[in-house]
Amino acid sequence: MTTDDKIIIADDAVIHPGDLHEDFIRSSGPGGQNVNKVATAVQLRFDAQNASGLSERVRERTIKMAGQRATKDGVIVIEAGRFRTQEQNRADARARLTALVAKAAEPPPPPRKKTRPSKGAVERRLKSKAGRSTVKKLRGRVGDD
């Protein structure tokens, strides 16, 4: 993927390359001799608040779903350092961002239909409650006869 390609997720969700900013940082964890020399991890910043390719609904949901990865200014920060090469980490960060925006772009679920229990179900429930009540009343003290 070249840096000039825009990522099309849905009709109302397109990520333009100008909205992305990548910084390469050193990965954490074990790594041998190169760990303190090579910056292979990527820190991908996506300015969701000012992104022109997102509709208002998708923009709000993306920032909300990003949680702590989103700053107060609406910039989503994704750090990827799972792999040993910059290219793999760049692809991983972009894939994670794409998945986040795709999940936010999904249409909302249809509203719930209100349902009522059938008359027979209500009668069965009340009958079983009465049966349990009888059983519990019979557990009481035995009276003197």
Side-chain angles (χ1 to χ4, degrees):
M1 178 188 305
T2 63
T3 56
D4 299 333
D5 292 340
K6 57 184 173 182
I7 303 169
I8 301 172
I9 297 164
D11 292 338
D12 56 351
V14 178
I15 299 174
H16 296 286
D19 298 331
L20 299 175
H21 182 265
E22 293 174 337
D23 290 322
F24 293 101
I25 55 176
R26 291 189 188 137
S27 284
S28 61
Q33 295 176 340
N34 276 349
V35 73
N36 293 324
K37 295 188 290 186
V38 182
T40 55
V42 67
Q43 190 177 55
L44 180 68
R45 293 179 174 275
F46 174 60
D47 190 2
Q49 190 65 40
N50 300 318
S52 59
L54 299 180
S55 67
E56 195 58 39
R57 181 186 71 84
V58 175
R59 178 187 334 273
E60 289 173 7
R61 285 192 48 156
T62 302
I63 293 172
K64 184 178 177 185
M65 292 174 74
Q68 290 190 342
R69 293 178 289 185
T71 64
K72 291 178 184 174
D73 302 328
V75 177
I76 297 172
V77 180
I78 295 178
E79 289 189 13
R82 272 195 291 186
F83 301 103
R84 291 178 63 119
T85 63
Q86 279 186 357
E87 275 308 309
Q88 285 178 309
N89 285 329
R90 285 180 72 199
D92 182 38
R94 286 176 183 242
R96 285 165 45 193
L97 176 65
T98 303
L100 176 70
V101 176
K103 189 153 178 67
E106 289 176 354
R112 185 182 81 83
K113 280 187 179 176
K114 294 181 180 177
T115 58
R116 298 174 77 174
S118 66
K119 194 172 182 181
V122 171
E123 288 176 5
R124 284 191 301 272
R125 182 178 63 87
L126 293 177
K127 187 177 177 185
S128 70
K129 283 173 64 109
R132 292 297 301 160
S133 172
T134 306
V135 167
K136 290 186 176 189
K137 282 179 186 165
L138 292 175
R139 288 184 190 156
R141 292 184 180 231
V142 178
D144 292 332
D145 287 335

